[in-house]
Amino acid sequence: MIGEAVQMSDQMRYWMELSEYDIETAIAMLKSKRYLYVGFMAHQSIEKMLKAYYVKTSGEPAPFSHSLSYLAKKAKIYEHFSEDQKLFIDMLEPMNVECRYPTHKEQLMRSLTEERCKEILDNSKELQQWIKQKL
C-alpha cells in the first residue's frame, strides 16, 4: 500500500515536471516567434497538470487522452473551474490537433499573433498555477 502511494506520488511529480518543461518550451517558442507551437505547448502543459491532478486525487494512472475537458471532468476539477477557465480550455483544446495537420495549420497560423500568444501563455501559466495550488 505504501509502495503504491509512493508510485502515485512519483507519477504526479512526473506529470508536474513535464508541465513545467512544456510551459518553458512555450515561452521559448514565443521568444523565437514560433507562434503555432506556443498554443501546442500551452495545451501540453495544461494536459499534464490535469493528469497530475487526476493521479493525485484518484490514486490511478492518468488516462490516455489529450482532451482537456475530458481530463478535467475525469479528474473532477472541471466543476471547480470558473467560466473563464472553462472557456479557456475550450479555446486551447484544438491547439493540440490543429497544429499537427497541414489543412488546419495554415488557418491557425494566421490567427496566432504575438499578442494572442502572450495571452494564451499568460492564461496557461495562471491555470497551471491554479491547478498546482489544488494539489
Side-chain angles (χ1 to χ4, degrees):
M1 191 70 163
I2 291 175
E4 285 180 28
V6 169
Q7 184 181 7
M8 284 300 129
S9 176
D10 288 345
Q11 285 185 32
M12 184 187 75
R13 194 169 21 265
Y14 166 80
W15 290 117
M16 289 176 68
E17 287 172 3
L18 285 177
S19 176
E20 287 296 328
Y21 184 88
D22 289 345
I23 208 75
E24 289 172 17
T25 302
I27 292 166
M29 294 296 98
L30 180 63
K31 287 179 183 174
S32 63
K33 301 187 184 306
R34 294 181 175 259
Y35 301 138
L36 182 63
Y37 293 100
V38 173
F40 178 75
M41 295 312 299
H43 178 285
Q44 291 295 297
S45 178
I46 298 305
E47 176 184 326
K48 290 165 185 163
M49 277 308 289
L50 289 170
K51 288 181 177 185
Y53 187 87
Y54 178 85
V55 166
K56 169 77 174 186
T57 59
S58 73
E60 298 175 8
F64 292 104
S65 176
H66 300 293
S67 169
L68 300 180
S69 56
Y70 171 80
L71 290 168
K73 289 172 184 174
K74 187 98 171 135
K76 296 182 173 76
I77 195 171
Y78 187 82
E79 62 224 35
H80 302 288
F81 280 178
S82 68
E83 279 307 307
D84 285 343
Q85 288 170 323
K86 290 176 184 177
L87 289 171
F88 177 66
I89 66 166
D90 287 346
M91 182 279 302
L92 198 57
E93 187 89 57
M95 301 274 179
N96 184 52
V97 175
E98 288 185 10
C99 76
R100 293 182 182 190
Y101 299 101
T103 55
H104 299 292
K105 194 182 286 191
E106 292 300 320
Q107 182 180 0
L108 186 58
M109 283 177 70
R110 285 191 298 273
S111 72
L112 291 173
T113 63
E114 183 174 3
E115 194 56 42
R116 182 160 185 239
C117 286
K118 284 180 182 177
E119 185 179 319
I120 289 169
L121 192 51
D122 288 345
N123 287 336
S124 295
K125 289 193 274 188
E126 187 178 304
L127 182 57
Q128 182 193 48
Q129 289 304 310
W130 184 87
I131 295 169
K132 193 182 289 186
Q133 288 174 350
K134 301 278 183 211
L135 292 171

